[in-house]
Amino acid sequence: MSVIDIDKVDGIGIHKDGFQLALLLCDHLDWANEYDHLIQLQNKINSYIGFIESRQYEKIYEDYNISSFNIEIHFLYQLIENCQRFLDTVNMQLREKQIIISY
């Protein structure tokens, strides 16, 4: 799975404290077409937010009291400045939902 599979979670797990859900997002795309890449990344992040907000994770982790979320993005290629700015902006917007994006 990867950033282009927007209807799938690439990986999922519980932090050792039992309160944070980690969602892995794998991005293998290069930056040759920056605009399309950022749109694809935005779509995947939005799908993860939908997964979180609809509480679909409770089907897997019903015995946990999850209170925060970490979308952990692993990029194959070095980040470009526009992507870092985009992710910083998204992080500020998601903070109130107890969602962080790390990369």
Side-chain angles (χ1 to χ4, degrees), residues 2-7 25-29 31 33-47 86:
S2 73
V3 70
I4 59 174
D5 298 315
I6 63 169
D7 60 340
L25 193 162
C26 300
D27 187 328
H28 68 287
L29 301 176
W31 294 101
N33 190 333
E34 178 181 330
Y35 177 79
D36 286 343
H37 189 160
L38 287 171
I39 293 297
Q40 194 65 50
L41 183 58
Q42 179 181 10
N43 290 339
K44 184 77 170 197
I45 290 170
N46 285 339
S47 104
F86 165 71

Coordinates of all heavy atoms in Angstrom, one line a residue, residues 2-7 25-29 31 33-47 86:
S2 N 0.3 2.3 -0.4 CA 1.1 3.6 -0.5 C 0.2 4.8 -0.5 O -1.0 4.7 -0.4 CB 2.0 3.5 -1.8 OG 1.2 3.7 -2.9
V3 N 0.8 5.9 -0.7 CA 0.1 7.2 -0.8 C -1.0 7.2 -1.9 O -2.0 7.9 -1.7 CB 1.1 8.3 -0.9 CG1 1.7 8.3 -2.3 CG2 0.5 9.7 -0.6
I4 N -0.8 6.4 -2.9 CA -1.9 6.4 -4.0 C -3.1 5.5 -3.7 O -4.1 5.6 -4.3 CB -1.2 6.0 -5.3 CG1 -0.6 4.6 -5.3 CG2 -0.2 7.1 -5.8 CD1 -0.1 4.2 -6.6
D5 N -3.0 4.7 -2.6 CA -4.1 3.8 -2.2 C -4.9 4.6 -1.1 O -4.8 4.3 0.0 CB -3.6 2.5 -1.7 CG -2.8 1.7 -2.7 OD1 -3.3 1.6 -3.8 OD2 -1.7 1.2 -2.4
I6 N -5.7 5.5 -1.6 CA -6.3 6.4 -0.6 C -7.4 5.7 0.2 O -7.8 6.2 1.3 CB -6.9 7.7 -1.2 CG1 -8.0 7.4 -2.2 CG2 -5.8 8.5 -1.8 CD1 -8.7 8.6 -2.7
D7 N -7.9 4.5 -0.2 CA -8.9 3.8 0.5 C -8.4 2.8 1.5 O -9.1 2.0 2.1 CB -9.9 3.2 -0.4 CG -9.3 2.2 -1.4 OD1 -8.0 2.2 -1.5 OD2 -10.0 1.4 -1.9
L25 N 1.8 6.0 6.9 CA 1.5 6.4 5.6 C 2.9 6.4 4.8 O 3.8 7.0 5.2 CB 1.0 7.9 5.6 CG 0.3 8.4 4.3 CD1 -0.5 9.6 4.6 CD2 1.3 8.7 3.2
C26 N 2.9 5.5 3.8 CA 4.1 5.4 3.0 C 4.0 6.2 1.7 O 3.0 6.0 0.9 CB 4.3 3.9 2.6 SG 4.4 2.8 4.1
D27 N 4.9 7.0 1.5 CA 5.0 7.9 0.3 C 6.2 7.6 -0.6 O 7.3 7.9 -0.2 CB 4.9 9.4 0.7 CG 4.8 10.3 -0.5 OD1 5.2 10.0 -1.6 OD2 4.2 11.4 -0.3
H28 N 6.0 6.9 -1.7 CA 7.1 6.5 -2.5 C 7.3 7.4 -3.8 O 8.2 7.2 -4.6 CB 6.8 5.1 -3.0 CG 5.7 5.0 -4.0 ND1 4.4 5.1 -3.6 CD2 5.6 4.8 -5.3 CE1 3.6 5.0 -4.6 NE2 4.3 4.9 -5.7
L29 N 6.4 8.4 -3.9 CA 6.5 9.2 -5.1 C 7.6 10.2 -5.1 O 8.0 10.8 -4.0 CB 5.2 10.0 -5.2 CG 3.9 9.2 -5.3 CD1 2.7 10.1 -5.3 CD2 3.9 8.3 -6.6
W31 N 9.3 14.0 -6.6 CA 8.7 15.3 -6.6 C 8.7 15.9 -8.0 O 8.7 17.1 -8.2 CB 9.4 16.2 -5.6 CG 9.2 15.8 -4.2 CD1 10.0 15.0 -3.4 CD2 8.0 16.0 -3.5 NE1 9.4 14.8 -2.2 CE2 8.2 15.3 -2.2 CE3 6.8 16.6 -3.7 CZ2 7.2 15.4 -1.2 CZ3 5.8 16.6 -2.7 CH2 6.0 16.0 -1.5
N33 N 6.5 15.9 -10.3 CA 5.2 16.7 -10.5 C 4.7 17.0 -9.1 O 3.9 16.4 -8.5 CB 4.2 15.8 -11.2 CG 3.0 16.7 -11.6 OD1 2.7 17.7 -11.0 ND2 2.3 16.2 -12.7
E34 N 5.3 18.1 -8.6 CA 5.0 18.6 -7.2 C 3.6 18.8 -6.9 O 3.1 18.3 -5.9 CB 5.8 19.9 -7.0 CG 5.6 20.5 -5.6 CD 6.4 21.8 -5.5 OE1 7.4 22.0 -6.1 OE2 5.9 22.6 -4.7
Y35 N 2.8 19.4 -7.8 CA 1.4 19.7 -7.5 C 0.6 18.4 -7.4 O -0.1 18.2 -6.4 CB 0.8 20.5 -8.7 CG -0.6 20.8 -8.5 CD1 -1.1 21.8 -7.6 CD2 -1.6 20.1 -9.2 CE1 -2.5 22.0 -7.5 CE2 -2.9 20.3 -9.1 CZ -3.4 21.3 -8.2 OH -4.7 21.5 -8.0
D36 N 0.8 17.5 -8.3 CA 0.0 16.2 -8.2 C 0.4 15.4 -7.0 O -0.4 14.8 -6.4 CB 0.3 15.4 -9.5 CG -0.5 15.9 -10.7 OD1 -1.4 16.7 -10.5 OD2 -0.1 15.5 -11.8
H37 N 1.7 15.4 -6.6 CA 2.2 14.7 -5.5 C 1.5 15.3 -4.2 O 1.0 14.5 -3.4 CB 3.7 14.8 -5.4 CG 4.3 14.0 -4.3 ND1 5.6 13.6 -4.3 CD2 3.8 13.4 -3.2 CE1 5.9 12.9 -3.3 NE2 4.8 12.7 -2.6
L38 N 1.5 16.6 -4.1 CA 0.9 17.2 -2.9 C -0.6 16.9 -2.8 O -1.2 16.7 -1.7 CB 1.1 18.7 -2.9 CG 2.6 19.1 -2.5 CD1 2.8 20.6 -2.8 CD2 2.9 18.8 -1.1
I39 N -1.3 16.9 -4.0 CA -2.7 16.6 -4.0 C -2.9 15.2 -3.5 O -3.8 14.9 -2.8 CB -3.3 16.8 -5.4 CG1 -3.3 18.3 -5.7 CG2 -4.7 16.2 -5.5 CD1 -4.2 19.2 -4.8
Q40 N -2.1 14.3 -4.0 CA -2.2 12.8 -3.6 C -2.0 12.7 -2.1 O -2.7 11.9 -1.5 CB -1.2 12.0 -4.4 CG -1.5 10.5 -4.3 CD -2.8 10.1 -5.0 OE1 -3.1 10.5 -6.1 NE2 -3.6 9.4 -4.3
L41 N -1.0 13.4 -1.6 CA -0.7 13.3 -0.2 C -1.9 13.9 0.6 O -2.3 13.3 1.6 CB 0.6 14.1 0.1 CG 1.1 14.1 1.5 CD1 1.3 12.7 2.0 CD2 2.4 14.9 1.6
Q42 N -2.4 15.0 0.2 CA -3.6 15.6 0.8 C -4.8 14.6 0.8 O -5.4 14.5 1.9 CB -4.0 16.9 0.1 CG -5.2 17.6 0.8 CD -5.5 18.9 0.0 OE1 -5.0 19.2 -1.0 NE2 -6.4 19.6 0.6
N43 N -5.0 14.0 -0.3 CA -6.1 13.0 -0.3 C -5.9 11.9 0.6 O -6.9 11.4 1.3 CB -6.3 12.5 -1.8 CG -6.8 13.5 -2.7 OD1 -7.4 14.5 -2.3 ND2 -6.5 13.3 -4.0
K44 N -4.7 11.4 0.7 CA -4.4 10.3 1.7 C -4.6 10.7 3.1 O -5.2 10.0 3.9 CB -3.0 9.7 1.4 CG -2.6 8.5 2.2 CD -3.3 7.2 1.7 CE -2.6 6.0 2.4 NZ -2.9 4.8 1.7
I45 N -4.1 11.9 3.4 CA -4.2 12.4 4.8 C -5.7 12.6 5.1 O -6.2 12.2 6.2 CB -3.4 13.7 5.0 CG1 -1.9 13.4 5.0 CG2 -3.8 14.4 6.3 CD1 -1.1 14.7 4.9
N46 N -6.5 13.1 4.2 CA -7.9 13.3 4.4 C -8.6 11.9 4.6 O -9.5 11.9 5.5 CB -8.5 14.0 3.2 CG -8.2 15.5 3.2 OD1 -7.9 16.1 4.3 ND2 -8.3 16.1 2.1
S47 N -8.2 10.9 3.9 CA -8.8 9.6 4.1 C -8.4 9.1 5.5 O -9.3 8.4 6.2 CB -8.4 8.6 3.0 OG -7.4 7.7 3.4
F86 N 3.2 22.7 3.9 CA 1.9 22.1 3.8 C 1.7 21.2 5.1 O 0.6 21.4 5.8 CB 1.8 21.2 2.6 CG 0.6 20.2 2.6 CD1 -0.7 20.7 2.5 CD2 0.8 18.9 2.7 CE1 -1.8 19.9 2.5 CE2 -0.3 18.0 2.8 CZ -1.6 18.5 2.7

